[in-house]
Structure formats: structure tokens, C-alpha cells
Amino acid sequence: MSDVNEPFISGLVSVVMPAYNSAATLAAAIESVLAQEYGELELYVVDDHSIDATRRLAEAFGKKDARVRVLSTDSGKGVAPARNTALRRCRGEFVAFIDADDRWDPEKLRVQLAALSDSGLALAATSYRVVDQHGADCGLVRIDGTAGYGDLLKGNVLGCSTVVVDRTRTGTFLMPEEVNEDYLTWLALTKKYGPALCVRQVLATYTKSSASLSGSKLRAAQWQWRVYREVLKFSAIRSAYLFVHYACRGVGKHFFSGRSAERPSSNSA
């Protein structure tokens, strides 16, 4: 993280999209970015050593639209190094994230940037809909108000593909090369720069994968405990306190149609 403001291009949004064997979903994801009503953007598609047509498809978009820039990693190192490959190149005042199997609504950046500007906060996320790998509706995740460091310690409510960061406030940053690097990044940013703005409007679609960390409640719970004890170095008592809150929130967080995930309060602890 850096407190020094770099010579970013004013008003430009740098969009970071890691992609690994994403040929089946990549076009829809890229098109949703290029179709934004707010058009001052550059899109970095980072091919993480795919063995399918991911890179060829990304390069085809780049030939048609100069805003698309295709990067690659040396080998399949994972999503965090892929995102960092792009973050080292981003030129925009703002950085936004989207995965190669997710999609944005056309008004997402316009609405979110206006809300972020009005709030004076360093980062913002939005509510989003959840679908499975076949496109079937799994419900909504609703957020509202703000989510501070203390709120996020009790569980992540910020969907990575909805987050925008104002780098004139945070300076340049990279993601830790760990599992759930996005969550660790939001913790670091909110701890240092204040709470995230939570835009209640549903502005993105997240594809839930059974192979992801969120696809296994036990694996997610084990990882959350590891964050408290090994990454953040919290005491056993503080870790247990936060874990109870995390578990209780998990019980109430279902992706069923017509229901939405409960956001944290706006009070940090």
C-alpha cells in the first residue's frame, strides 16, 4: 500500500480481469465491461497460462477495441499473481475488478463512481445477483451503508467483481498472494483508509462455482480461522469472538431466490 499519489490518468478506470481457461465465459465478461455507460476505461485481461482459447479470444477483442490490453503470466500461478500483473500496469485514477465468468450491468461504473465521489470514501462495492455455472438464478447478495474493517473481520460481504478503488486516496497497491487475496486486500484498505461504501443497487452478476472456496462451507470456515490466527495474528479469544459472528452470519446468508445476504452494520470494531 502507498500513501503517495501517483500520476494517475484522471477519470480513467483501470479494469483488472484474470482469466484461466475461461474461453466459455470470457466474451460475455469482456462485453459487459466494454458496454459500460461510463466509457473512460482500460481493460487488462491477464491470461494465466490457459490451455484453451482464452488468450486468442482476448486478443481478438483487443484488435477491435484499443481499450482491451492482453497480458499473461509466466505460468499458471493463480488469481492473485495474475491480478498483480495487471495492477502493476494500471494507469487509471480508479481500479475495478471483475472475474472472467462474471458480468457487469451497463450502468455499474457510472452509478458507482458517482456514489463513491459523493461519499469521499476510498473504495466501494455494490449488491449483486448470484447464478450457478449453468446460469440458473441463485438469489441476491444485498449490501447497504458502509462496511468498515471491524465489520469485514466478521466476514467478507464485498464481492470482488463489484469493487472499485480510488487510488488518489490509497495510492498504488498489490494483492497478497494468498488464498482469498481479495478479502485480505479489503481488510487492509479499510483498516488504513476507512470503510467501504456499499451501494444497495444490484449492478453485477457473480457466477458461483462449486470448486471455489465459497463452494465449501467447511473449507471457508477453516480458512477464516486461519486468517484470524495466522495471517492477522489475533489471540485465540479475539479469534473465537469474531468466528462466532462469522458463523452466525453464515447461517443467515443463503443464496435462495427472493432472499438476500445480510450486510454488516456500519460500525467498525
Side-chain angles (χ1 to χ4, degrees):
M1 308 287 176
S2 170
D3 288 321
V4 178
N5 291 335
E6 305 291 340
F8 304 127
I9 297 177
S10 179
L12 181 68
V13 180
S14 296
V15 183
V16 174
M17 180 188 292
Y20 174 71
N21 289 347
S22 303
T25 60
L26 185 67
I30 292 177
E31 287 167 356
S32 77
V33 174
L34 299 181
Q36 289 297 295
E37 295 171 0
Y38 185 93
E40 295 298 313
L41 59 85
E42 58 179 3
L43 169 60
Y44 290 91
V45 181
V46 186
D47 173 38
D48 193 25
H49 214 62
S50 300
I51 58 175
D52 66 357
T54 293
R55 185 176 182 86
R56 177 171 57 80
L57 286 171
E59 289 175 341
F61 275 98
K63 290 178 181 178
K64 294 185 293 184
D65 193 320
R67 294 178 296 173
V68 179
R69 302 164 184 265
V70 182
L71 305 175
S72 61
T73 60
D74 295 333
S75 60
K77 295 181 177 179
V79 68
R83 288 196 182 112
N84 286 339
T85 296
L87 284 169
R88 292 186 178 96
R89 301 284 192 91
C90 290
R91 304 176 299 162
E93 176 181 357
F94 303 96
V95 169
F97 300 91
I98 182 171
D99 288 342
D101 56 355
D102 295 341
R103 300 184 304 279
W104 286 349
D105 291 10
E107 67 271 31
K108 177 187 181 290
L109 288 181
R110 175 181 59 78
V111 171
Q112 193 171 10
L113 290 175
L116 189 59
S117 176
D118 290 342
S119 74
L121 298 176
L123 68 158
T126 77
S127 299
Y128 57 94
R129 64 189 65 83
V130 182
V131 299
D132 66 17
Q133 292 169 294
H134 305 290
D137 177 32
C138 298
L140 301 175
V141 174
R142 289 276 192 186
I143 59 175
D144 195 10
T146 59
Y149 175 70
D151 302 316
L152 294 179
L153 284 176
K154 299 170 184 175
N156 184 24
V157 295
L158 307 182
C160 186
S161 287
T162 77
V163 171
V164 173
V165 179
D166 182 348
R167 297 199 299 173
T168 64
R169 299 181 181 278
T170 67
T172 57
F173 64 91
L174 296 176
M175 289 189 165
E177 297 188 359
E178 294 236 13
V179 176
N180 260 25
E181 71 295 327
D182 54 334
Y183 176 45
L184 295 176
T185 301
W186 315 150
L187 285 173
L189 289 175
T190 55
K191 183 177 183 180
K192 191 167 186 178
Y193 301 107
L197 175 68
C198 297
V199 178
R200 182 170 176 78
Q201 188 172 347
V202 177
L203 294 171
T205 299
Y206 164 74
T207 301
K208 184 180 181 183
S209 169
S210 59
S212 69
L213 183 67
S214 58
S216 169
K217 290 184 178 180
L218 176 60
R219 192 162 66 245
Q222 290 172 333
W223 185 86
Q224 190 74 26
W225 180 257
R226 177 178 171 270
V227 167
Y228 296 146
R229 296 291 284 143
E230 298 179 21
V231 179
L232 300 177
K233 308 295 185 183
F234 289 164
S235 68
I237 293 176
R238 187 179 185 189
S239 298
Y241 168 79
L242 291 169
F243 191 80
V244 168
H245 283 276
Y246 164 82
C248 290
R249 179 175 295 159
V251 169
K253 183 177 180 180
H254 298 294
F255 295 109
F256 296 141
S257 180
R259 301 188 65 178
S260 57
E262 180 184 0
R263 73 162 183 87
S265 69
S266 58
N267 298 320
S268 296

